[in-house]
Amino acid sequence: MITDVRFESSGLMLAGQLFTPDPSSGPSPAIVVGHQTTAVKEQSAALYARRLTERGYVALTFDAAYQGESEGEPHGLEDPFQRAEDFRAAVSYLSTLADVDAERIGVLGICGSGGYAPYAAQTDHRMKAVATVSGADVPSFFRDGDPEGWRAMVEQAGRLRGEEAAGKPATLVSAVPDEVDDSTPALVREFHEYYKTPRGRHPRSTNEWVARSADVLDQYDSYAEAGKIAPRPLLMIAGSEAATLPHSRRAVANAGETAELHTIEGAGHVDLYDRDEPVDEAVAKLTEFFGRHLAGAR
């Protein structure tokens, strides 16, 4: 059963969907599932939520603040600290539900949320088990690809803030081009094939973000203090061919002995968004992981 829900995060109302096993068997373990950067809850987050609910979990997806159907202006703002707060708010919401065992709540982040969920869990000990799929530290993703271009974006953020204060609309940056060719980097072609075609396109997934987000993102690091998650477990799932695999390796190295990296052979970053075989393997691993650490799920 899927129910539209609303809950508050730092004064902003977030739009969510609650996936509940049918029939309900009393208070169940629950998992918060976060969407990719520039995506919405109806895309990969919904796919994983459905699969986990089939295995006995309550699952909650939501549009991050400033994105999708959730509140927040300018729309498209990518504030990593707010994104982490959204995960905490989602856990708080779940803890109020009669069908949820508040002592057995886990989190799953996909792509950019695979950075925000572990970051939130560093200090929110209600998150008993933390997992990611194609996890990425968003500022590192942009910075590593074009250091000079990223530095320029950070430098111009103050000017853009001033323009907004003067009444101009927020400047948006397209994360995925409308057209690609053989000269387009492979990962960008992967994103295009998902977000810009019927495969994964969604009308509320604009694939744009507010350019002045750069100065806030530049202060943030998803995995630098991942060791704070311990002794709770961390699972990072990534494709062996994913451009973001080094992000998962870094997170696991920083988190220590309670962290695990599971690589899916032959898979790229975007394959784990929706491709049947890699998703099947990812869900099987997630089922084993959450089953072990959120005891009681079937």
Side-chain angles (χ1 to χ4, degrees):
M1 185 170 65
I2 305 174
T3 306
D4 290 334
V5 299
R6 297 289 186 273
F7 58 94
E8 190 175 295
S9 177
S10 297
L12 299 173
M13 196 61 65
L14 304 190
Q17 289 188 319
L18 186 69
F19 294 71
T20 308
D22 187 20
S24 175
S25 56
S28 301
I31 301 168
V32 179
V33 185
H35 62 70
Q36 310 97 297
T37 300
T38 80
V40 291
K41 62 186 179 300
E42 290 84 0
Q43 293 172 309
S44 298
L47 185 155
Y48 278 88
R50 288 190 187 94
R51 298 287 295 272
L52 291 166
T53 300
E54 290 169 359
R55 287 152 176 80
Y57 296 93
V58 173
L60 174 65
T61 65
F62 62 93
D63 287 331
Y66 302 99
Q67 299 173 33
E69 294 181 299
S70 291
E71 290 183 345
E73 294 296 335
H75 230 51
L77 186 69
E78 189 73 12
D79 181 338
F81 305 106
Q82 178 64 53
R83 290 291 301 266
E85 187 62 27
D86 293 346
F87 272 94
R88 299 185 188 103
V91 171
S92 293
Y93 172 75
L94 283 174
S95 71
T96 69
L97 302 181
D99 288 343
V100 170
D101 183 340
E103 296 301 316
R104 293 188 290 160
I105 296 176
V107 292
L108 168 62
I110 304 168
C111 186
S113 283
Y116 302 133
Y119 184 84
Q122 290 170 18
T123 55
D124 192 332
H125 290 252
R126 299 173 301 170
M127 301 175 187
K128 303 301 185 183
V130 184
T132 76
V133 168
S134 293
D137 177 64
V138 173
S140 293
F141 178 85
F142 290 118
R143 188 188 301 116
D144 296 347
D146 183 4
E148 290 303 318
W150 179 253
R151 187 175 297 113
M153 289 193 70
V154 173
E155 288 178 359
Q156 75 168 348
R159 175 178 60 80
L160 296 176
R161 288 176 181 274
E163 289 180 359
E164 286 184 48
K168 292 185 178 181
T171 297
L172 297 173
V173 177
S174 177
V176 183
D178 290 328
E179 302 291 338
V180 296
D181 56 32
D182 290 343
S183 66
T184 306
L187 182 56
V188 177
R189 293 200 303 270
E190 286 184 45
F191 287 137
H192 180 275
E193 184 183 352
Y194 180 82
Y195 287 110
K196 297 294 187 178
T197 73
R199 174 183 165 191
R201 180 189 291 134
H202 190 280
R204 287 191 293 275
S205 177
T206 65
N207 306 126
E208 294 181 326
W209 56 286
V210 174
R212 69 167 171 82
S213 306
D215 64 354
V216 182
L217 284 165
D218 205 48
Q219 303 174 61
Y220 161 82
D221 189 314
S222 296
Y223 309 126
E225 296 191 77
K228 289 181 177 179
I229 297 172
R232 292 164 294 144
L234 170 66
L235 169 67
M236 308 288 289
I237 300 176
S240 66
E241 307 306 309
T244 51
L245 177 57
H247 295 217
S248 292
R249 286 178 173 150
R250 175 172 168 254
V252 168
N254 288 348
E257 294 182 357
T258 56
E260 175 185 0
L261 173 62
H262 179 82
T263 55
I264 297 181
E265 192 61 34
H269 178 92
V270 178
D271 288 331
L272 296 186
Y273 288 4
D274 67 337
R275 295 294 193 199
D276 288 342
E277 288 190 14
V279 169
D280 285 347
E281 182 174 338
V283 170
K285 183 64 181 178
L286 290 166
T287 301
E288 180 274 327
F289 173 77
F290 285 124
R292 181 155 37 99
H293 297 292
L294 303 178
R298 64 175 184 267

